[in-house]
Amino acid sequence: MTAAIEVAGLGVTLGGARVLDGVDLTLDSGSWLAVVGPNGAGKSTLLRALTGLVRHDGTVTLGGRHAGSLRPRDRARLAGYAPQAPVLPAALSVTEYVLLGRTPYRSLLSAPRAEDRTVTAGVLERLDLGPFRDRPLHTLSGGERQRAVLARALAQQPRMLFLDEPTSALDLGHAQQVLELVDRLRREDGLTVVSTLHDLTLAGQYADTLLMLAGGAVVATGSPADVLTPERLARHYGATAEVTSGPEGIRVYPVRRRPSPS
Amino acid sequence: MVAATALLGAAVLAGLSVGAVGLPPLGAAAALLDRIPGVSIHSGLSPVETQVLLQLRLPRVLLAALVGGMLALAGAAYQGVFRNPLADPYLLGAAAGAGLGATLVIAYVPGNSVGPVSVVPLAAFVGALTGVGLAYGLGALAGQGDGAATLLLAGVAVASFLAAAQTAVQQANAESLRDVYSWLLGQLGAASWPTVGLMLPYAAVSAICLLTTGRGLDVLSVGDDEATSLGIRPQRLRLLVLVAASLGTAAAVAVSGLIGFVGLVVPHIVRRLAGGSYRTVLPVSLLGGGAFLVLADLVARTVLSPAELPIGVVTAFVGAPFFAILLRVGSGRS
């Protein structure tokens, strides 16, 4: 197995504040890494640094190539990105939006070619968006929008997907559907997935590796069972929680310590 | 696209035929075809009518089509660059800069000309580009964060400053008030072949540049981050579009003064009728804007004939109510 992503000594300074420092990471091709951590830990910033959206120090290697020396277009063919709050231009149809994912494959001056239409149609079909293909984006529900964003990223035919809180706007059922979908794509296409996820149970059940950030530094990396311990949740989240693991995967329960009746 | 072309054609014919001297539309068309080398058609127009057509109507209609098309195209481009439905070509200080330039000349240059050459268009052109340049410079200095939002704020600051300067000059030179106002409201009455020639090269360069950026603007519409992740450079694209759109706007303002609402309203009408992709919006706005202004000019010069309404008044009469409806519908949706 080759390493899809290698990160060494990655740090980010924003407005004079060091928001991320000394992040090292090696991720095998075809695996799923969930970045977890309390609010403000630097999860989104880490994702943005890996996708080259924010200036950083240290080195990032994507698919064996030094990320800093990649042309924007080559990087876009390698890595798809979906931000936490994607901007969906209301007036575009779903097909037009997903076609934007073909941007790295042709000049901005040329019209979409047959191949672009084929790839786009295929992605829409796979994500069950076929019936919506001519609908304007603003008529879609939350779950459908998230699928449209995924479809746009997949139309880039990337080898890795960077997803910033892909489930934050979704209810539990839709969140599970989207994560199952991502997992299926990962298995079928050998995609490497890096996502931030604030729901620790979902993170533990879907990702094979967890990376916990707190205060801009990595405090734990490893399997979900290794990373998610009540002690860590108490120390870094200030949370009272219990963790159980069974055949269905790991579960994190918040626990309320009620004052004893007097 | 076909419909927009047909509309522009019909508007041009109407613009050519209607006026103080009525001309038959078919005769006018025939007289124009007759001018094409190698074509000979008997138009049935008298020599005087032919002169009216070729020396008065035609340049005026062409200028209206050029100015309207340019303003609408630039407006659509500005809306795309700023991802803001209320953006128009005057947003970054082009209007205020041109206004200041024109007012300075009208107030301080005797006869508004140096030798036989009127310098009002030149001053307006330079003023418009200066305004946009200042806004862009200020936005780049402020730098940080979302490029488009910062630039927008810089544009507002520059526009207010230049507008204030313009008002001050105007107040200090009350005797030129009337001339300044008639310029500010826009006019096509002075249209002639040299004016068309003055505007055409800038409009052509600007329009060709802008029409190639349709897909780029579509990509930009998902936000700078995602556009970057799709492999384009948003800053570079934005600068290219702004330079091209501002050049065209400055040329339009120089020959016609400040004609409002075309650049704001036409792209919105186009979006409703033809869909939201900039690959369609840009060319259809160019055609539709041309048709709109030709018809507005037709109204401006016939309603109170022989007097003329300032064309800016006509476009605003149509534009303002539409603007209000747009705000209402826009607030109801997103």
CSV table of all heavy atoms in Angstrom, one decimal, chain B residues 217-245:
chain,number,residue,atom,x,y,z
B,217,LEU,N,-16.9,32.4,-14.8
B,217,LEU,CA,-17.9,33.0,-13.8
B,217,LEU,C,-18.8,32.0,-13.2
B,217,LEU,O,-19.1,32.1,-12.0
B,217,LEU,CB,-18.7,34.1,-14.5
B,217,LEU,CG,-17.9,35.4,-14.8
B,217,LEU,CD1,-18.8,36.4,-15.5
B,217,LEU,CD2,-17.4,36.0,-13.5
B,218,ASP,N,-19.1,31.0,-13.9
B,218,ASP,CA,-19.9,29.9,-13.4
B,218,ASP,C,-19.1,29.2,-12.3
B,218,ASP,O,-19.7,28.9,-11.2
B,218,ASP,CB,-20.3,28.8,-14.4
B,218,ASP,CG,-21.5,29.2,-15.2
B,218,ASP,OD1,-22.2,30.2,-14.8
B,218,ASP,OD2,-21.8,28.6,-16.3
B,219,VAL,N,-17.8,29.0,-12.5
B,219,VAL,CA,-17.0,28.3,-11.5
B,219,VAL,C,-16.9,29.2,-10.3
B,219,VAL,O,-17.0,28.8,-9.1
B,219,VAL,CB,-15.6,28.0,-12.0
B,219,VAL,CG1,-14.7,27.3,-11.0
B,219,VAL,CG2,-15.7,27.0,-13.2
B,220,LEU,N,-16.7,30.5,-10.5
B,220,LEU,CA,-16.5,31.5,-9.5
B,220,LEU,C,-17.8,31.5,-8.6
B,220,LEU,O,-17.7,31.9,-7.4
B,220,LEU,CB,-16.2,32.9,-10.1
B,220,LEU,CG,-15.3,33.8,-9.3
B,220,LEU,CD1,-14.0,33.1,-8.9
B,220,LEU,CD2,-15.1,35.1,-10.1
B,221,SER,N,-18.9,31.2,-9.2
B,221,SER,CA,-20.2,31.3,-8.4
B,221,SER,C,-20.3,30.4,-7.2
B,221,SER,O,-21.2,30.5,-6.4
B,221,SER,CB,-21.4,31.2,-9.3
B,221,SER,OG,-21.5,29.8,-9.8
B,222,VAL,N,-19.4,29.4,-7.1
B,222,VAL,CA,-19.5,28.5,-6.0
B,222,VAL,C,-18.6,29.0,-4.9
B,222,VAL,O,-18.5,28.3,-3.8
B,222,VAL,CB,-19.1,27.0,-6.3
B,222,VAL,CG1,-20.0,26.4,-7.4
B,222,VAL,CG2,-17.6,26.9,-6.8
B,223,GLY,N,-18.0,30.1,-5.0
B,223,GLY,CA,-17.2,30.7,-3.9
B,223,GLY,C,-15.7,30.5,-4.2
B,223,GLY,O,-15.3,29.6,-5.0
B,224,ASP,N,-14.9,31.4,-3.7
B,224,ASP,CA,-13.4,31.4,-4.0
B,224,ASP,C,-12.8,30.0,-3.6
B,224,ASP,O,-12.0,29.5,-4.3
B,224,ASP,CB,-12.7,32.5,-3.2
B,224,ASP,CG,-12.9,33.8,-4.0
B,224,ASP,OD1,-13.8,33.9,-4.9
B,224,ASP,OD2,-12.2,34.8,-3.7
B,225,ASP,N,-13.2,29.5,-2.4
B,225,ASP,CA,-12.5,28.3,-1.9
B,225,ASP,C,-12.7,27.1,-2.9
B,225,ASP,O,-11.8,26.4,-3.3
B,225,ASP,CB,-13.0,27.9,-0.5
B,225,ASP,CG,-12.3,28.6,0.6
B,225,ASP,OD1,-11.4,29.4,0.2
B,225,ASP,OD2,-12.6,28.3,1.7
B,226,GLU,N,-14.0,26.9,-3.2
B,226,GLU,CA,-14.3,25.8,-4.1
B,226,GLU,C,-13.8,26.0,-5.5
B,226,GLU,O,-13.4,25.1,-6.2
B,226,GLU,CB,-15.8,25.5,-4.1
B,226,GLU,CG,-16.3,24.8,-2.9
B,226,GLU,CD,-17.8,24.5,-2.9
B,226,GLU,OE1,-18.1,23.5,-3.5
B,226,GLU,OE2,-18.5,25.3,-2.4
B,227,ALA,N,-13.8,27.3,-5.9
B,227,ALA,CA,-13.3,27.6,-7.3
B,227,ALA,C,-11.8,27.2,-7.3
B,227,ALA,O,-11.3,26.6,-8.2
B,227,ALA,CB,-13.5,29.0,-7.6
B,228,THR,N,-11.1,27.6,-6.2
B,228,THR,CA,-9.7,27.2,-6.1
B,228,THR,C,-9.5,25.7,-6.1
B,228,THR,O,-8.6,25.2,-6.8
B,228,THR,CB,-9.1,27.8,-4.8
B,228,THR,OG1,-9.3,29.2,-4.7
B,228,THR,CG2,-7.6,27.6,-4.8
B,229,SER,N,-10.4,25.0,-5.4
B,229,SER,CA,-10.2,23.5,-5.3
B,229,SER,C,-10.6,22.9,-6.7
B,229,SER,O,-10.3,21.8,-6.9
B,229,SER,CB,-11.1,23.0,-4.2
B,229,SER,OG,-12.4,22.8,-4.6
B,230,LEU,N,-11.2,23.7,-7.6
B,230,LEU,CA,-11.5,23.2,-8.9
B,230,LEU,C,-10.4,23.6,-9.9
B,230,LEU,O,-10.5,23.3,-11.1
B,230,LEU,CB,-12.8,23.7,-9.4
B,230,LEU,CG,-14.1,23.1,-8.7
B,230,LEU,CD1,-15.3,23.9,-9.1
B,230,LEU,CD2,-14.2,21.7,-9.2
B,231,GLY,N,-9.3,24.2,-9.3
B,231,GLY,CA,-8.2,24.4,-10.2
B,231,GLY,C,-8.1,25.7,-10.9
B,231,GLY,O,-7.3,25.9,-11.8
B,232,ILE,N,-8.9,26.7,-10.5
B,232,ILE,CA,-8.8,28.0,-11.1
B,232,ILE,C,-8.2,29.0,-10.1
B,232,ILE,O,-8.2,28.7,-8.9
B,232,ILE,CB,-10.1,28.6,-11.7
B,232,ILE,CG1,-11.0,29.0,-10.7
B,232,ILE,CG2,-10.7,27.6,-12.7
B,232,ILE,CD1,-12.1,29.9,-11.2
B,233,ARG,N,-7.8,30.2,-10.6
B,233,ARG,CA,-7.2,31.2,-9.7
B,233,ARG,C,-8.3,32.3,-9.6
B,233,ARG,O,-8.3,33.2,-10.5
B,233,ARG,CB,-5.9,31.7,-10.2
B,233,ARG,CG,-4.8,30.7,-10.1
B,233,ARG,CD,-3.5,31.3,-10.5
B,233,ARG,NE,-2.3,30.4,-10.3
B,233,ARG,CZ,-1.9,29.5,-11.1
B,233,ARG,NH1,-2.5,29.4,-12.3
B,233,ARG,NH2,-0.8,28.8,-10.9
B,234,PRO,N,-9.1,32.4,-8.6
B,234,PRO,CA,-10.2,33.4,-8.5
B,234,PRO,C,-9.7,34.8,-8.6
B,234,PRO,O,-10.3,35.6,-9.3
B,234,PRO,CB,-10.8,33.1,-7.2
B,234,PRO,CG,-10.4,31.8,-6.8
B,234,PRO,CD,-9.1,31.5,-7.4
B,235,GLN,N,-8.6,35.1,-8.0
B,235,GLN,CA,-8.1,36.5,-8.0
B,235,GLN,C,-7.8,37.0,-9.4
B,235,GLN,O,-8.2,38.1,-9.8
B,235,GLN,CB,-6.9,36.7,-7.1
B,235,GLN,CG,-7.0,36.3,-5.7
B,235,GLN,CD,-7.9,37.2,-4.9
B,235,GLN,OE1,-8.3,38.3,-5.4
B,235,GLN,NE2,-8.3,36.9,-3.7
B,236,ARG,N,-7.1,36.1,-10.1
B,236,ARG,CA,-6.7,36.5,-11.4
B,236,ARG,C,-7.9,36.6,-12.4
B,236,ARG,O,-8.0,37.6,-13.1
B,236,ARG,CB,-5.8,35.3,-12.0
B,236,ARG,CG,-4.9,35.8,-13.1
B,236,ARG,CD,-4.1,34.6,-13.6
B,236,ARG,NE,-3.0,34.2,-12.8
B,236,ARG,CZ,-2.2,33.3,-13.1
B,236,ARG,NH1,-2.4,32.6,-14.2
B,236,ARG,NH2,-1.2,33.0,-12.3
B,237,LEU,N,-8.8,35.7,-12.3
B,237,LEU,CA,-10.0,35.8,-13.1
B,237,LEU,C,-10.8,37.0,-12.8
B,237,LEU,O,-11.3,37.7,-13.7
B,237,LEU,CB,-10.9,34.5,-12.9
B,237,LEU,CG,-12.2,34.4,-13.7
B,237,LEU,CD1,-11.9,34.4,-15.1
B,237,LEU,CD2,-13.0,33.2,-13.2
B,238,ARG,N,-10.9,37.3,-11.5
B,238,ARG,CA,-11.7,38.5,-11.1
B,238,ARG,C,-11.1,39.8,-11.7
B,238,ARG,O,-11.8,40.7,-12.2
B,238,ARG,CB,-11.8,38.6,-9.6
B,238,ARG,CG,-12.7,39.7,-9.0
B,238,ARG,CD,-12.8,39.6,-7.5
B,238,ARG,NE,-13.4,38.4,-7.1
B,238,ARG,CZ,-12.9,37.6,-6.1
B,238,ARG,NH1,-11.8,37.9,-5.5
B,238,ARG,NH2,-13.5,36.5,-5.8
B,239,LEU,N,-9.8,39.9,-11.6
B,239,LEU,CA,-9.1,41.1,-12.1
B,239,LEU,C,-9.3,41.2,-13.6
B,239,LEU,O,-9.7,42.3,-14.1
B,239,LEU,CB,-7.6,41.0,-11.8
B,239,LEU,CG,-6.8,42.2,-12.3
B,239,LEU,CD1,-7.2,43.4,-11.6
B,239,LEU,CD2,-5.3,41.9,-12.1
B,240,LEU,N,-9.2,40.1,-14.3
B,240,LEU,CA,-9.4,40.1,-15.8
B,240,LEU,C,-10.8,40.6,-16.1
B,240,LEU,O,-11.0,41.5,-17.0
B,240,LEU,CB,-9.2,38.7,-16.4
B,240,LEU,CG,-9.7,38.6,-17.8
B,240,LEU,CD1,-8.7,39.3,-18.8
B,240,LEU,CD2,-9.9,37.1,-18.2
B,241,VAL,N,-11.8,40.1,-15.4
B,241,VAL,CA,-13.2,40.4,-15.7
B,241,VAL,C,-13.5,41.9,-15.4
B,241,VAL,O,-14.1,42.6,-16.1
B,241,VAL,CB,-14.2,39.5,-14.9
B,241,VAL,CG1,-15.6,40.0,-15.1
B,241,VAL,CG2,-14.1,38.1,-15.4
B,242,LEU,N,-12.9,42.3,-14.2
B,242,LEU,CA,-13.1,43.7,-13.8
B,242,LEU,C,-12.5,44.7,-14.8
B,242,LEU,O,-13.1,45.7,-15.1
B,242,LEU,CB,-12.6,43.9,-12.4
B,242,LEU,CG,-13.4,43.4,-11.3
B,242,LEU,CD1,-12.8,43.6,-9.9
B,242,LEU,CD2,-14.8,43.9,-11.3
B,243,VAL,N,-11.3,44.4,-15.2
B,243,VAL,CA,-10.6,45.3,-16.1
B,243,VAL,C,-11.4,45.4,-17.4
B,243,VAL,O,-11.7,46.5,-17.9
B,243,VAL,CB,-9.2,44.8,-16.4
B,243,VAL,CG1,-8.6,45.6,-17.6
B,243,VAL,CG2,-8.3,45.0,-15.2
B,244,ALA,N,-11.8,44.3,-18.0
B,244,ALA,CA,-12.5,44.3,-19.2
B,244,ALA,C,-13.9,45.0,-19.1
B,244,ALA,O,-14.2,45.8,-19.9
B,244,ALA,CB,-12.8,42.8,-19.7
B,245,ALA,N,-14.6,44.7,-18.0
B,245,ALA,CA,-15.9,45.3,-17.8
B,245,ALA,C,-15.8,46.8,-17.6
B,245,ALA,O,-16.6,47.6,-18.1
B,245,ALA,CB,-16.7,44.6,-16.7
